[in-house]
Amino acid sequence: MTAEVETKHFQAETRKVLDIVINSLYTERDIFVRELVSNAADALEKFRHHSLVEKVEFDEHVPLEINIDCDDKKHILTITDTGIGMSREELETNLGTIAHSGSSRFFEQLAEAAKKDVNLIGQFGVGFYSVFMAAKMVRVQSRPASGEEGHEWASDGAGTYTISPAPGLHRGTKIIIELKEDAQTYASKFTIERIIQQYSTFVPFPVKVEGKKVNTVQAIWSRSKNEISEEEYNEFYKFIGNAADEPLYRFHFNADAPLAIQALLYVPKENFEVLGMGRMDPGVNLYCRKVLIDQHSENILPEWLRFLKGVVDSEDLPLNISRQSLQDNSLVIKLRRVLTKRIIKFFGEEADNDPAKYQEFWRTFGIFIKEAITSDFEHREELGKLLRFESSTGEADEMVSLDTYVNRMAEGQDSIFYINGPSRAAVESGPYVEMFKKKGVEILYTLEPIDDFVLNHLGSYRDKKLVSADRADLDLSKAVVPQAEDSAAADAAPQEEPLAQDAIEPLCAWIKEVLGERVNAVKPSSRLVDSPAMIVNVDGYMTSSMERLLKASGQDGFGMGSKKDMEINAASPLIKKLAALRQSDADFAADLAWQMYDNAKIQAGLDVDSMEMVRRNYRILERAAGN
Ligand code: ADP
Ligand code: MG
């Protein structure tokens, strides 16, 4: 009796992926060979490591290699590896389901990427399915390293696959591909040799086509820098990073003390997290003496460096260390610290050497530096050096570092000032920068919602406190800017005569009475120039932008953001008129006070009761139109 053949349906997500792969990819079919060879290499790496950690009893002397056979009569391509292999269950889960989140966004992005550049497909962890670009039938025969009997998985890529026992296999995986009519070139050994040379030269195991080795096995990172060409470096990046283009930065670094480290790291051109692919897996592999110990290692670098691709090799590590024990191995922790410091330093040097290129890096990966500041306490100050913001002194789009800011700070200034807002234009037209402009004191514009959160974490830089300009206790009096005050004042229109002290105080008290509990206090301002009013925060941590951030993340339930003052400008014509109006028409004056308060809140980026505001606004407009 023939052994039981089971027919199964692909998971719905897998069918979608197959659909995208088969129907939207017409060009660059070559890459399926690369994907299968890279899977074979992964399987060999896994076996090599497995054999170091555990005793292998089955097929222990079979050499670690990849064999490719081309039958150009029958149009069959066969790729065989002697790697870790797959059990029946593994065949099903690995080749029948998608490990990734099967969100609709994932599929959109995959379809999009597939149209744009087939090479991107490897990044999505669905490389195996690319075989169906060229195959009308695929059989995967696999036997796990444990020696447990093997199985065959077979499919034409339509809706189903079969699984059946396949006795008598060697350890590893054999993929037998029956080629489509228009893909028969892949049964030619010349085609395959060309593809291996193009994409897979760095595979660290022999790749043999019809028995002849076609790749040069080499650990590029262990060679000396001046022996490696630009091209080799870039090719290695494409290999290790599954990338199609060139990297943005490359960092090849060797050290002997305190630890022996060889690291070859790359920064890609694109941030795949913002491309909608969810959180990236780490992209750096950990080796010990050229043996892969931990692929996509979560231990060798801090999480925020997950955008890096490459290799770290340290001969100080024990070869037979298991993945679990890497986590709290003190040597690994030490390695991570040394590497992190070197990488941060590298970014700093790149920023000094080529600011324009660094700006490009910052726009793409700055978000990870910000994440680092909120999560990596140990390197906070060094990380602060890498931050960039727009500033009142810089041109639009020009990014300024905290060092640049501190270096040109006015005499006596003891803080680094910043203000958050949705755009440069919004910030510059708002009330918070008025006194800064007038005094010529530089202020940073933090234009991303999380920026204030990040700067709060940083706290200070080079002993200068980081202070949000919407704080109630802001003090600009110590900053002495030579001449700026005079020249700015001379340029400006003659200042209005401010409301006298004995008029402004009662006006403040009256406004407070009108607004009631909604505001903590109403005070005369020492820093408004043109605007009549502004909202300031009594608690220095809870800036308006922090409040927005908490609200956006659904954490506004603590009432934390409630303590706010309103400052009013005694020199503003509106304030002066209000002082008179409250005597003659208190109701209308109250409407104006409320409207001013709402306007100030809007300028602070805070929510207002818009329905209430519209009703009030119509009352005011009616008066303005004359009645
Ligand atoms: P990825 O390689 O990104 O995980 P693939 O679609 O290329 O995605 O492969 C899916 C999974 O199938 C792999 O993670 C691996 O577990 C398994 N696999 C594929 N090819 C082999 C092979 N030759 N030997 C062992 N396992 C394999
Ligand atoms: Mg793969």
Side-chain angles (χ1 to χ4, degrees):
M1 200 189 124
T2 43
E4 61 294 0
V5 177
E6 255 193 86
T7 303
K8 305 218 158 197
H9 291 270
F10 283 115
Q11 181 198 31
E13 283 84 354
T14 313
R15 277 209 308 281
K16 271 199 211 164
V17 168
L18 281 165
D19 208 48
I20 292 169
V21 169
I22 297 168
N23 297 318
S24 51
L25 311 178
Y26 302 106
T27 55
E28 297 192 70
R29 286 204 284 198
D30 289 4
I31 63 115
F32 89 86
V33 178
R34 179 189 71 180
E35 293 299 329
L36 296 185
V37 169
S38 107
N39 284 349
D42 288 351
L44 286 162
E45 297 268 26
K46 280 182 200 157
F47 175 75
R48 181 155 62 180
H49 186 235
H50 168 80
S51 69
L52 292 169
V53 180
E54 260 166 70
K55 189 157 168 39
V56 176
E57 309 267 2
F58 161 68
D59 263 359
E60 66 268 39
H61 299 303
V62 175
L64 301 184
E65 59 187 27
I66 299 168
N67 278 287
I68 304 183
D69 289 299
C70 302
D71 185 336
D72 57 4
K73 304 261 160 18
K74 292 193 184 137
H75 315 300
I76 290 176
L77 172 69
T78 308
I79 301 177
T80 311
D81 68 68
T82 52
I84 193 83
M86 283 178 275
S87 66
R88 189 202 154 97
E89 290 70 39
E90 286 167 334
L91 279 167
E92 269 193 46
T93 40
N94 294 342
L95 308 183
T97 58
I98 307 276
H100 259 279
S101 64
S103 69
S104 58
R105 181 129 174 85
F106 172 78
F107 292 107
E108 269 166 41
Q109 293 293 334
L110 176 64
E112 201 50 39
K115 260 183 254 149
K116 210 167 73 186
D117 186 348
V118 189
N119 282 293
L120 289 170
I121 190 166
Q123 303 269 3
F124 287 80
V126 295
F128 171 77
Y129 301 107
S130 65
V131 69
F132 289 105
M133 293 192 291
K136 60 178 172 203
M137 184 70 188
V138 177
R139 287 186 288 144
V140 179
Q141 301 178 337
S142 198
R143 184 168 185 183
S146 64
E148 169 192 333
E149 275 303 342
H151 286 85
E152 178 179 285
W153 176 104
S155 177
D156 60 1
T160 59
Y161 60 91
T162 60
I163 288 217
S164 50
L169 300 174
H170 274 298
R171 180 191 73 232
T173 304
K174 183 192 286 271
I175 302 183
I176 304 159
I177 302 153
E178 220 178 293
L179 295 162
K180 289 182 183 166
E181 272 73 54
D182 63 353
Q184 289 172 356
T185 171
Y186 296 106
S188 142
K189 77 173 197 179
F190 302 106
T191 308
I192 298 299
E193 276 182 24
R194 175 184 58 76
I195 299 174
I196 301 293
Q197 262 143 22
Q198 186 176 350
Y199 293 114
S200 308
T201 36
F202 294 102
V203 169
F205 299 93
V207 179
K208 294 180 178 168
V209 178
E210 304 278 292
K212 191 182 115 212
K213 194 173 133 208
V214 294
N215 67 325
T216 40
V217 183
Q218 50 188 340
I220 181 174
W221 60 90
S222 65
R223 288 161 51 195
S224 87
K225 283 184 208 171
N226 46 28
E227 285 170 12
I228 308 170
S229 69
E230 266 318 280
E231 204 183 346
E232 277 179 292
Y233 270 129
N234 286 340
E235 288 304 313
F236 183 68
Y237 166 67
K238 289 180 190 172
F239 169 72
I240 196 96
N242 232 328
D245 54 356
E246 268 144 39
L248 183 63
Y249 284 134
R250 173 183 81 227
F251 181 39
H252 191 176
F253 150 72
N254 293 313
D256 297 320
L259 289 165
I261 303 176
Q262 293 170 323
L264 177 51
L265 304 168
Y266 299 89
V267 176
K269 282 218 172 81
E270 284 190 272
N271 172 357
F272 285 92
E273 286 192 6
V274 301
L275 291 181
M277 289 173 48
R279 202 174 174 79
M280 274 187 263
D281 288 334
V284 173
N285 299 340
L286 178 61
Y287 285 74
C288 169
R289 278 167 248 158
K290 300 177 200 169
V291 175
L292 182 67
I293 301 202
D294 194 13
Q295 189 171 29
H296 305 307
S297 180
E298 298 192 344
N299 304 298
I300 194 60
L301 292 173
E303 228 183 315
W304 66 269
L305 281 170
R306 62 189 177 277
F307 61 95
L308 292 181
K309 309 272 184 197
V311 166
V312 171
D313 194 325
S314 174
E315 57 184 57
D316 289 334
L317 287 171
L319 250 181
N320 60 352
I321 191 168
S322 74
R323 288 190 80 166
Q324 288 84 330
S325 53
L326 279 172
Q327 206 169 8
D328 37 39
N329 179 286
S330 63
L331 256 173
V332 175
I333 293 169
K334 227 165 148 185
L335 264 175
R336 179 169 56 215
R337 184 171 302 142
V338 173
L339 282 164
T340 307
K341 282 208 188 312
R342 277 302 283 128
I343 293 165
I344 294 172
K345 193 165 154 230
F346 167 79
F347 288 141
E349 288 162 358
E350 288 296 321
D352 290 341
N353 295 340
D354 188 346
K357 188 170 174 189
Y358 182 76
Q359 192 137 318
E360 197 183 323
F361 165 78
W362 175 254
R363 284 190 202 290
T364 315
F365 296 102
I367 184 77
F368 292 96
I369 307 291
K370 291 176 186 174
E371 179 185 325
I373 287 182
T374 63
S375 64
D376 195 335
F377 184 77
E378 199 183 329
H379 303 106
R380 211 166 270 178
E381 180 86 10
E382 295 127 280
L383 285 161
K385 196 178 168 60
L386 302 180
L387 289 172
R388 294 292 182 275
F389 297 104
E390 289 202 30
S391 115
S392 58
T393 307
E395 302 288 318
D397 273 350
E398 184 188 334
M399 302 303 248
V400 169
S401 70
L402 296 182
D403 281 317
T404 304
Y405 183 102
V406 171
N407 291 344
R408 63 189 182 200
M409 242 157 91
E411 202 183 317
Q413 187 179 335
D414 57 1
S415 306
I416 300 170
F417 299 107
Y418 61 92
I419 185 70
N420 190 277
S423 68
R424 185 182 181 97
V427 169
E428 290 195 327
S429 68
Y432 299 101
V433 299
E434 287 174 1
M435 189 49 83
F436 288 88
K437 277 193 212 154
K438 188 175 170 196
K439 291 191 72 142
V441 174
E442 181 166 15
I443 176 167
L444 299 173
Y445 301 157
T446 55
L447 303 179
E448 298 295 332
I450 72 154
D451 285 348
D452 286 19
F453 184 65
V454 173
L455 293 179
N456 266 328
H457 267 271
L458 188 58
S460 65
Y461 185 74
R462 281 170 52 185
D463 292 328
K464 309 286 179 194
K465 275 190 72 166
L466 286 150
V467 173
S468 172
D470 62 6
R471 279 177 64 143
D473 59 357
L474 188 80
D475 181 9
L476 277 183
S477 66
K478 288 201 211 101
V480 184
V481 184
Q483 289 145 8
E485 195 165 355
D486 293 344
S487 61
D491 289 344
Q495 252 313 184
E496 287 267 345
E497 196 58 41
L499 213 58
Q501 194 70 13
D502 59 0
I504 190 82
E505 294 287 355
L507 179 65
C508 285
W510 175 79
I511 295 175
K512 164 69 185 150
E513 211 181 289
V514 171
L515 299 179
E517 291 312 304
R518 296 284 288 277
V519 67
N520 177 63
V522 179
K523 293 177 175 167
S525 181
S526 59
R527 53 177 154 141
L528 282 169
V529 180
D530 298 313
S531 300
M534 72 173 167
I535 300 291
V536 293
N537 294 282
V538 179
D539 172 0
Y541 177 79
M542 190 51 64
T543 63
S544 298
S545 112
M546 283 294 290
E547 190 171 325
R548 284 199 297 279
L549 193 67
L550 287 177
K551 217 165 183 161
S553 63
Q555 297 180 49
D556 57 338
F558 311 132
M560 287 158 86
S562 56
K563 233 175 170 205
K564 296 186 187 315
D565 288 351
M566 180 158 81
E567 288 192 2
I568 61 172
N569 178 3
S572 154
L574 178 63
I575 295 295
K576 290 202 279 191
K577 285 180 187 149
L578 190 63
L581 190 65
R582 84 172 165 100
Q583 316 284 1
S584 58
D585 186 346
D587 285 349
F588 185 55
D591 266 352
L592 294 189
W594 271 109
Q595 188 62 43
M596 205 165 67
Y597 171 70
D598 275 357
N599 289 356
K601 279 183 84 177
I602 290 169
Q603 285 183 307
L606 299 167
D607 285 346
V608 297
D609 179 345
S610 48
M611 288 308 147
E612 172 61 34
M613 184 177 124
V614 168
R615 275 194 296 276
R616 178 197 319 124
N617 200 255
Y618 277 132
R619 287 198 297 273
I620 296 170
L621 288 175
E622 228 170 88
R623 272 289 276 268
N627 60 351

